[in-house]
Each structure stands twice: as C-alpha cells, then as structure tokens.
C-alpha cells in the first residue's frame, strides 16, 4: 500500500477523527472506504452509460408518427383541469322544480 499526504482543515480533521472513533474505525479506513465508493460509483455510471449507448444503437426507437407540439392544445388541456376543480355540485333545493 502507498502512503498519501492530504491537506485537511483542522476543524474538519477533528470532526472526522471523532466520527471515526464513534464508528470504531480509523480515519485511514474511512478515507479508503470513501475513495473506494467514489471510484465504484464512477464505474457504475460508466457501465450504465455504455449499456444505454449500446441499447440505443441496437434497438432503434420507434416513436410512431411525428407529433408537433401545439401550445394551444397544451394550455387548453391545463385550463380544463384547473376549471374542473372549481366546479361545484348544485345546492339542493335551488333551481329545482317542485
């Protein structure tokens, strides 16, 4: 194993040592673990990106007929949803024929 020298703020160093003590481990072990997690996460991201790239190349996406977004349709749909929340049932006895 190689030794590495790090420059760390004194307050952070004290807090990290206290955390390591509470976890019954060493600061050295915590740093190794954190670095290993970062490298592993980077590897998983690279693996996922490669898988997605391969999937897109091998399976072309069929989106069906081209659709052109229409702002008026979108706003009309949104307006209908908003207005439907404001509708209230009629009050019994008002406007009813006897």
């Amino acid at each position: 194993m190689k030794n590495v020298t790090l420059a760390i703020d004194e307050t952070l160093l004290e807090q990290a040592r206290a955390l390591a003590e509470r976890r019954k481990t060493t600061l050295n072990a915590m740093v190794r673990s954190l670095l290993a997690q970062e490298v592993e996460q980077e590897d998983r991201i690279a693996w996922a990106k490669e898988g997605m790239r391969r999937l897109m190349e091998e399976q072309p996406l069929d989106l069906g007929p081209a659709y052109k977004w229409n702002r008026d349709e979108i706003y009309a749909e949104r307006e209908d949803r908003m207005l439907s929340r404001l509708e209230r049932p009629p009050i019994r006895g008002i406007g009813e024929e006897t």
Side-chain angles (χ1 to χ4, degrees), residues 39-50:
V39 169
E40 185 180 315
Q41 180 177 350
E42 196 70 22
D43 289 345
R44 284 195 311 263
I45 291 170
W47 175 81
K49 284 181 178 179
E50 176 60 24

Side-chain angles (χ1 to χ4, degrees), residues 67-78:
Y67 179 77
K68 181 154 176 111
W69 291 100
N70 182 330
R71 182 180 296 250
D72 294 332
E73 288 177 14
I74 294 169
Y75 281 117
E77 182 181 314
R78 191 162 119 196

Side-chain angles (χ1 to χ4, degrees), residues 90-98:
I91 298 174
R92 291 181 58 189
I94 297 178
E96 293 179 356
E97 293 182 27
T98 54

Side-chain angles (χ1 to χ4, degrees), residues 15-58:
Q15 292 171 339
R17 281 185 174 150
L19 178 61
E21 188 175 327
R22 286 193 304 273
R23 292 184 178 180
K24 309 257 190 281
T25 188
T26 63
L27 187 58
N28 196 19
M30 282 181 45
V31 170
R32 276 197 312 265
S33 176
L34 289 169
L35 288 173
Q37 288 173 12
E38 287 296 316
V39 169
E40 185 180 315
Q41 180 177 350
E42 196 70 22
D43 289 345
R44 284 195 311 263
I45 291 170
W47 175 81
K49 284 181 178 179
E50 176 60 24
M52 292 299 290
R53 186 193 59 74
R54 249 185 294 118
L55 183 62
M56 288 187 293
E57 287 175 357
E58 294 170 6

Side-chain angles (χ1 to χ4, degrees), residues 75-90:
Y75 281 117
E77 182 181 314
R78 191 162 119 196
E79 184 179 33
D80 289 344
R81 280 196 320 262
M82 291 173 72
L83 290 176
S84 69
R85 286 188 233 151
L86 299 175
E87 294 174 358
R88 301 283 185 248

